[in-house]
Amino acid sequence: MGTVKKSLIERGFPFDDVSRIAEQESWRKDINRPTSYIHKWWARRLGSVFRSLIIGGTEPESTDFFEKYYTNTTYKDLVVFDPFMGSGTTIIEAVKFGAKVVGSDINPVACAMVRTALEKYDREEVIKTYNEIQTQCEAKIKKYYRAKYEQDEVDVLYYFWVKIIHCDDCGYDIPLFKNTIFSKNAYPSRKPLAQSVCPNCGNINQIMYDDSSCLCARCHEEYNPQKGNVKGIEYVCPRCGKHEKIVDYARRTGRTIPERMYAKMVLDSDGKKHYLDVDKTDVELYQAAADEVEKYVQFIPNDCIKKGVNTNQILNYRYRQWKEMFNERQLMAFGVLAEAISRIENFELRRLFAVLMSGTLEFNNMFCSFKGEGTGAVRPLFYNHILKNELMPLEANVWGLKASSGAFSTLFETRVLRMLEYKEKPFELKLQQNGSSQKVFLEDCSIEASSTDLVEKWSEERPLIYCEDSAHINLPDASVDLVVTDPPFFDNVNYSELADFFYIWLRKMNVGVGNDGVESTRKDGEVQDNDPNKFSSKLKDVFTECNRLLKPDGKLIFTYHHARTDGWTSVYNAICGAGYTIIQVIPIKAEMAVSVAIMSAKSPINYDLIFVCRKTSQFEQIKLPVNAGNDYKEIVEVIERSRLKFSDGDRMVLKYGLALKQLSEMGKINIKSEDIDQVISNWQL
């Protein structure tokens, strides 16, 4: 393929060792890569992988990879561009190398997140600002999360709620409990104690998690705690037997299904947790908080939820405004925080705490649920990348206590302070013989870079961050060495539809988000479309712009996987239509090992594929067909020797990717699904 010298990513890349490192990182990404974990984003990729891609794309094939990986390697003359920046994984890794960096994302939430992560901060000023917010907000919020336990006044950690359906036939108010066990340990076989609410009187009874019978301590009625009033997607009236799809009830009544508090978890003076019934004081406190909402109305968004692939999920349940996803006490608390944050004079600090508050929203809304004892407790809104109607919501203490999960105060420590520490002393994980890992700190390396959106101010010290359609980038031709990215999937998560949940709050706090008056992050240029042909066309436009920006010997390197062949044909036609040839395809560890999407799949896909592409104009067309089946066998042999987990789904993904490589080297354009199948069927595996 011409006389171009091969880089490490094209020959000899240690994908098996990198995958093992990535596996370690994936268990606690928030600790191991906190700079890209300052705020929620979807399909967040692993920093160790993208550090490896930059090294592999820059160094010649003879390079000692791990000598570069575990030292403060510097690429000051390297220009790296990511057109689908997302959470900023590529950008942050390139900044660590001292490279000249360009990032672009069409979504303003992603851009705010990346700019916040990159910014230079004075740690003392950050802590001082937090203390000022604490002085203004903590007491105002926490006074509505108080209760009595025995003779003491204590803090409420969580309130437990349940949706209620009114039976039209018999008039009974049906609590939508899947079963009446609302709390148990994440490892019940080890710690079998659980909490159940009596369906007759509402008393909280302590039981064993697998009990099928309970005698209520208050009303002395016997009930089965394993049974509830929900079967699949239907409710069943326990009094008259009427049943109906829950979503049909919402459609028929034309309103959201109301909720009722039924239990709370409090912390006593010794920090011990106790489960209590909801009493009159709880109801009065909630109403008092609701009465305060009007004071903060200017900081509480009233934007409507627009129709979309993901948003239709909650529109069907008659949610019409984003604020309806919160209860009145939560709205009050976020109004208090937003008001205080809006008064911060320093713009960078105001944006930092606005992003922190925005991240707190994910854990404090009525689409959250209880994960159980022995865990992070709060199952956040986007735990499965969708907007899922929650029948048994969990309301957490928004400001939070030491034992809180996802509260403003605890996220300050686990996200902001942890990010600042990593920015000052970045580290990489190094595997030990016993399977554990240790931190290797990169000496004289830091991640402190005030970004700009002006090309004339772009430098090694100032990354260029655009909030733009990446099909149109204000840079000269042949100015980029590497394009390293992770493009969106055409039919998976519609980022803008979900990002609006955060956007509407951010634009209330004067942090450069939504200042143009635009009500949604949805834009025509977004590379997201359920039609594979339209998706391919949009992706091709971005890749074509990348081709213009790349130097003659530059490389396009991106990660991708998909379960269906039309996902592969769409990305292939975008690559070849934009003037590239696929030079190499390599599997690499992708998602978190505990990802909900992975754990729920029958044949989970744990690996992405790395696609390495060069400009087709740099190479002579291969006239004879090639057989990538040999590559497949060699890669699988390496994986099996390395004892990496490689599912049937991963094997199929690898076959798809290598088939695309073969078709590309044959010069095929505008392929169809049967072209991929034909190539694979010709391999002798």
Side-chain angles (χ1 to χ4, degrees):
M1 280 205 150
T3 59
V4 175
K5 292 182 179 179
K6 288 189 178 293
S7 60
L8 182 60
I9 196 73
E10 295 166 285
R11 182 180 294 169
F13 184 73
F15 68 88
D16 51 338
D17 291 328
V18 173
S19 291
R20 276 193 287 266
I21 296 168
E23 173 78 18
Q24 287 290 319
E25 179 191 335
S26 73
W27 287 103
R28 289 304 305 271
K29 288 193 291 188
D30 55 331
I31 292 176
N32 297 322
R33 279 298 194 281
T35 39
S36 56
Y37 218 85
I38 185 67
H39 190 279
K40 172 69 183 180
W41 197 251
W42 297 269
R44 197 189 320 252
R45 290 303 182 243
L46 300 168
S48 54
V49 170
F50 281 77
R51 177 175 177 82
S52 301
L53 298 186
I54 295 171
I55 294 172
T58 305
E59 296 291 339
E61 58 181 300
S62 59
T63 302
D64 183 334
F65 173 83
F66 286 107
E67 182 183 348
K68 297 293 182 181
Y69 189 89
Y70 288 117
T71 57
N72 183 17
T73 301
T74 302
Y75 296 133
K76 285 194 173 180
D77 296 326
L78 186 73
V79 180
V80 180
F81 173 45
D82 185 351
F84 300 108
M85 183 175 59
S87 64
T89 303
T90 297
I91 304 305
I92 292 164
E93 297 306 317
V95 166
K96 283 163 64 178
F97 285 119
K100 199 173 179 183
V101 179
V102 187
S104 177
D105 203 289
I106 200 168
N107 196 290
V109 175
C111 294
M113 174 182 173
V114 174
R115 288 168 176 157
T116 300
L118 291 173
E119 188 59 60
K120 296 179 180 179
Y121 301 104
D122 181 309
R123 186 185 181 90
E124 290 185 3
E125 283 298 313
V126 170
I127 294 173
K128 178 184 175 184
T129 304
Y130 171 77
N131 289 337
E132 290 170 353
I133 295 172
Q134 183 176 25
T135 299
Q136 296 173 57
C137 302
E138 182 180 20
K140 288 182 181 178
I141 295 171
K142 287 176 65 175
K143 70 179 181 180
Y144 297 111
Y145 292 91
R146 300 288 285 173
K148 282 232 173 145
Y149 174 68
E150 295 180 343
Q151 302 303 313
D152 298 326
E153 189 172 327
V154 295
D155 289 306
V156 176
L157 190 57
Y158 304 117
Y159 284 106
F160 297 85
W161 294 70
V162 63
K163 279 185 163 58
I164 305 292
I165 278 179
H166 182 77
C167 181
D168 300 323
D169 289 3
C170 71
Y172 184 69
D173 285 336
I174 309 163
L176 298 185
F177 290 115
K178 298 170 186 177
N179 59 62
T180 64
I181 301 174
F182 65 91
S183 175
K184 61 183 178 181
N185 196 275
Y187 306 97
S189 59
R190 299 183 208 168
K191 296 185 177 181
L193 288 180
Q195 307 294 324
S196 171
V197 57
C198 176
N200 304 301
C201 71
N203 185 54
I204 306 304
N205 296 295
Q206 184 169 279
I207 63 170
M208 306 298 276
Y209 78 98
D210 55 355
D211 281 349
S212 58
S213 177
C214 173
L215 187 67
C216 178
R218 179 191 291 164
C219 70
H220 307 296
E221 292 285 334
E222 187 176 359
Y223 67 94
N224 183 350
Q226 306 297 334
K227 289 187 176 181
N229 302 319
V230 176
K231 291 186 178 180
I233 59 175
E234 291 191 331
Y235 71 86
V236 179
C237 179
R239 182 172 291 175
C240 72
K242 177 183 174 65
H243 59 92
E244 180 184 19
K245 288 182 180 179
I246 297 169
V247 68
D248 287 346
Y249 176 87
R251 287 171 178 157
R252 180 167 57 79
T253 59
R255 61 187 178 90
T256 58
I257 302 173
E259 296 141 340
R260 182 180 73 201
M261 282 186 290
Y262 64 90
K264 58 182 178 280
M265 181 195 290
V266 303
L267 291 183
D268 67 19
S269 56
D270 295 324
K272 293 181 180 179
K273 299 174 183 177
H274 304 275
Y275 292 89
L276 304 175
D277 300 348
V278 163
D279 57 27
K280 180 182 177 182
T281 301
D282 296 311
V283 176
E284 290 173 347
L285 268 182
Y286 179 82
Q287 186 56 51
D291 292 340
E292 292 285 301
V293 171
E294 190 64 29
K295 294 181 181 179
Y296 306 100
V297 66
Q298 71 182 96
F299 300 102
I300 298 171
N302 58 3
D303 304 71
C304 292
I305 303 170
K306 297 184 177 182
K307 291 181 180 179
V309 174
N310 289 120
T311 50
N312 285 345
Q313 296 159 355
I314 58 172
L315 287 170
N316 286 336
Y317 285 91
R318 291 302 182 260
Y319 289 87
R320 291 294 178 261
Q321 293 181 309
W322 290 104
K323 68 179 182 181
E324 293 172 352
M325 296 176 67
F326 303 84
N327 70 27
E328 295 292 301
R329 181 160 43 203
Q330 291 168 332
L331 290 176
M332 179 278 304
F334 283 118
V336 169
L337 285 169
E339 181 185 51
I341 291 167
S342 298
R343 288 200 293 257
I344 299 172
E345 292 185 6
N346 180 280
F347 175 80
E348 286 75 22
L349 289 173
R350 184 164 69 248
R351 183 175 60 193
L352 171 66
F353 284 97
V355 168
L356 173 63
M357 193 200 90
S358 178
T360 309
L361 295 167
E362 186 190 5
F363 298 87
N364 292 272
N365 58 80
M366 297 304 279
F367 283 62
C368 297
S369 57
F370 191 54
K371 288 168 67 177
E373 296 275 14
T375 68
V378 179
R379 183 179 289 109
L381 166 65
F382 292 118
Y383 79 97
N384 199 17
H385 299 342
I386 60 174
L387 293 168
K388 176 181 174 292
N389 182 48
E390 181 54 51
L391 302 182
M392 298 170 61
L394 181 75
E395 179 194 0
N397 185 318
V398 174
W399 181 267
L401 312 168
K402 285 187 177 181
S404 287
S405 171
F408 185 83
S409 60
T410 54
L411 289 182
F412 173 72
E413 294 183 5
T414 60
R415 289 189 174 179
V416 174
L417 295 184
R418 190 178 286 160
M419 177 189 74
L420 294 180
E421 183 179 356
Y422 186 86
K423 281 162 65 71
E424 293 170 3
K425 296 179 64 178
F427 62 84
E428 301 300 329
L429 297 179
K430 189 170 186 178
L431 299 182
Q432 306 299 294
Q433 288 186 343
N434 63 2
S436 64
S437 62
Q438 70 174 21
K439 296 177 181 178
V440 176
F441 290 92
L442 306 176
E443 295 184 7
D444 300 320
C445 177
S446 66
I447 311 169
E448 292 186 323
S450 297
S451 61
T452 181
D453 59 1
L454 301 174
V455 68
E456 59 269 23
K457 293 186 178 181
W458 175 38
S459 66
E460 289 86 353
E461 291 78 27
R462 298 207 70 180
L464 184 60
I465 304 298
Y466 286 124
C467 188
E468 301 286 351
D469 177 354
S470 293
H472 308 282
I473 296 297
N474 181 27
L475 285 178
D477 294 355
S479 56
V480 171
D481 295 289
L482 286 180
V483 175
V484 181
T485 192
D486 178 62
F489 299 135
F490 77 87
D491 64 346
N492 192 2
V493 179
N494 289 266
Y495 299 152
S496 61
E497 293 180 15
L498 302 182
D500 280 353
F501 173 82
F502 302 111
Y503 173 75
I504 57 164
W505 289 89
L506 285 170
R507 64 196 291 259
K508 287 284 187 179
M509 289 180 277
N510 190 24
V511 291
V513 176
N515 289 358
D516 53 7
V518 177
E519 296 180 355
S520 171
T521 66
R522 302 185 193 188
K523 296 180 182 177
D524 291 338
E526 185 181 11
V527 181
Q528 191 82 59
D529 203 298
N530 285 352
D531 183 322
N533 294 321
K534 292 179 180 178
F535 168 78
S536 184
S537 178
K538 293 177 182 179
L539 184 61
K540 185 185 77 171
D541 289 344
V542 174
F543 282 172
T544 299
E545 181 71 341
C546 293
N547 195 321
R548 180 186 71 81
L549 297 176
L550 276 171
K551 295 175 182 178
D553 61 346
K555 291 178 282 291
L556 164 66
I557 303 172
F558 67 93
T559 57
Y560 190 79
H561 77 246
H562 207 282
R564 301 203 320 262
T565 52
D566 55 358
W568 295 100
T569 56
S570 62
V571 77
Y572 178 91
N573 292 332
I575 294 168
C576 296
Y580 299 94
T581 297
I582 302 171
I583 306 303
Q584 183 62 285
V585 172
I586 312 167
I588 201 74
K589 176 66 183 175
E591 293 260 16
M592 286 175 59
V594 292
S595 161
V596 171
I598 283 180
M599 295 181 73
S600 60
K602 290 182 179 178
S603 183
I605 298 174
N606 297 282
Y607 285 75
D608 278 341
L609 293 185
I610 302 168
F611 283 83
V612 183
C613 309
R614 285 186 183 263
K615 295 185 179 186
T616 300
S617 59
Q618 291 291 298
F619 301 93
E620 298 176 359
Q621 289 292 332
I622 290 182
K623 304 300 181 184
L624 296 175
V626 292
N627 189 317
N630 295 330
D631 295 341
Y632 175 82
K633 287 187 280 190
E634 290 176 7
I635 290 172
V636 170
E637 285 176 6
V638 172
I639 289 171
E640 289 176 345
R641 284 200 305 269
S642 302
R643 296 183 180 179
L644 293 167
K645 293 180 181 178
F646 206 63
S647 70
D648 289 341
D650 293 321
R651 289 172 186 267
M652 196 66 245
V653 163
L654 180 57
K655 288 177 182 177
Y656 284 145
L658 289 171
L660 298 191
K661 176 176 179 285
Q662 179 171 329
L663 289 164
S664 176
E665 291 176 340
M666 293 166 60
K668 299 290 185 181
I669 58 174
N670 294 325
I671 66 168
K672 298 178 180 179
S673 297
E674 50 262 35
D675 295 318
I676 299 176
D677 296 335
Q678 183 62 51
V679 166
I680 295 173
S681 67
N682 288 336
W683 295 345
Q684 295 180 356
L685 299 179

